[in-house]
Amino acid sequence: MKLFSPDSAHWYQRDGVPLHTVPSLKGEPRPTTLRDARKLGLLPSVTNILGVIAKPELTAWLQEQAVMAALTLPRNPGESEDDFAKRVVADSQTTRDSAADFGTAFHAGAERIAHTLEVDRADLLSSWLNRYRDWYQANALVLRWTEKVLVHPEWGYAGTADLLIEHPVHGLTLVDLKTMKIKPGEKAKPYKSWCYQLAAYRRALGEPVRCMNLIVNSVEPSAPIEHVWTEDEMETGWRAFVAAHAVFAHAGFAGDEFDQAVEEAELMAVRQ
């Protein structure tokens, strides 16, 4: 009985064009698989590579969701154990999927603001997006770009970064938006993996920028929270990404082109 399937990964062509789906035998789009990526010589995303790092807090939370679903989901008359187990898994993933949907919708609204400063009043997230627009107008003195694919050909990875702006305090700043649930009375706690992700983006960008996570509370509309990573944290973040990069390659997640890129990048790192 197969209950869990790995989430679809993001892949890029070497020129930075996203190839997250490919045509199926029926001509319909389907998620790009590891086999496709190897065949086409695609680059893994930064999040693909960081996926090899264990996330104990997330794992514990997912387990809690599964246990609660098993305890609270009523059994259907005559339902087999296999069918019930599959419904438990589907029910436990509802909260996770809702959080992902919120994040996707917010990013789309934020991109629109960067281009037009407009918020659709009919958008279910308009209250959150209005708060974000307030932040954007006060802090994005100049927009360099938004939603740009960054490629590091030597290290063999790519990823889509959210914003590069001129910030009134921090100067040229690479901003990555994060949505998370912040309970009343609690403070936002950025994950270290966010720093690793920004460190990889900054290396691919190749410019001396400050790096910031802008945290949006998905529980209730409020002003976004800036978290600027120190240079020491960014250097540590890059070393962590390099370690994850090596594990990703040597564990067999990538093809020959990626392995060659790893060897070349490791030599470059030694020379530096």
Side-chain angles (χ1 to χ4, degrees):
M1 174 176 60
K2 184 177 181 180
L3 295 178
F4 297 92
S5 297
D7 293 333
S8 59
H10 287 173
W11 299 91
Y12 295 85
Q13 298 180 72
R14 302 195 74 82
D15 59 1
V17 175
L19 199 66
H20 306 328
T21 63
V22 294
S24 67
L25 293 177
K26 296 181 180 179
E28 300 172 350
R30 62 166 177 78
T32 303
T33 65
L34 177 59
R35 180 178 295 180
D36 298 323
R38 285 174 170 165
K39 180 180 178 181
L40 299 173
L42 303 180
L43 299 179
S45 70
V46 170
T47 50
N48 279 16
I49 294 171
L50 291 177
V52 303
I53 299 177
K55 300 176 178 64
E57 298 90 348
L58 176 60
T59 301
W61 180 80
L62 291 173
Q63 290 173 338
E64 290 171 4
Q65 301 305 306
V67 170
M68 291 305 299
L71 292 174
T72 60
L73 198 64
R75 294 286 291 265
N76 293 328
E79 186 176 35
S80 68
E81 293 289 340
D82 284 4
D83 288 341
F84 178 66
K86 290 176 182 177
R87 283 203 306 116
V88 166
V89 170
D91 185 79
S92 69
Q93 292 176 341
T94 300
T95 303
R96 181 203 66 178
D97 293 342
S98 296
D101 291 342
F102 182 97
T104 300
F106 185 86
H107 273 76
E111 182 180 8
R112 180 179 181 181
I113 288 170
H115 288 302
T116 68
L117 291 180
E118 296 178 355
V119 174
D120 185 354
R121 293 182 180 180
D123 194 315
L124 295 176
L125 302 187
S126 60
S127 296
W128 282 267
L129 291 169
N130 282 329
R131 295 298 188 95
Y132 172 75
R133 181 172 59 182
D134 292 341
W135 174 88
Y136 182 86
Q137 289 183 294
N139 294 285
L141 301 181
V142 178
L143 172 66
R144 290 286 193 93
W145 46 254
T146 182
E147 294 296 320
K148 181 176 181 178
V149 175
L150 302 175
V151 179
H152 202 309
E154 289 81 12
W155 281 87
Y157 68 82
T160 304
D162 291 333
L163 283 173
L164 184 64
I165 63 170
E166 290 285 351
H167 190 279
V169 176
H170 307 296
L172 190 60
T173 304
L174 185 62
V175 182
D176 190 49
L177 307 178
K178 295 296 185 185
T179 60
M180 67 184 307
K181 288 187 175 182
I182 305 173
K183 297 179 181 179
E186 294 186 356
K187 292 184 178 180
K189 297 179 181 179
Y191 293 103
K192 290 181 180 179
S193 60
W194 297 355
C195 179
Y196 308 162
Q197 182 180 12
L198 278 166
Y201 288 163
R202 185 166 75 165
R203 284 290 177 128
L205 178 63
E207 292 189 55
V209 300
R210 297 301 303 275
C211 290
M212 171 194 297
N213 281 117
L214 190 68
I215 305 171
V216 175
N217 184 6
S218 61
V219 174
E220 60 182 4
S222 56
I225 302 166
E226 294 184 355
H227 182 86
V228 181
W229 298 94
T230 67
E231 284 305 306
D232 285 345
E233 289 172 328
M234 292 302 298
E235 285 302 316
T236 299
W238 173 246
R239 289 196 294 271
F241 178 78
V242 168
H245 185 281
V247 172
F248 185 91
H250 296 307
F253 286 98
D256 294 338
E257 278 194 33
F258 185 84
D259 289 338
Q260 182 178 355
V262 169
E263 292 175 4
E264 293 173 355
E266 287 174 343
L267 287 173
M268 288 176 59
V270 170
R271 289 168 185 164
Q272 293 175 354

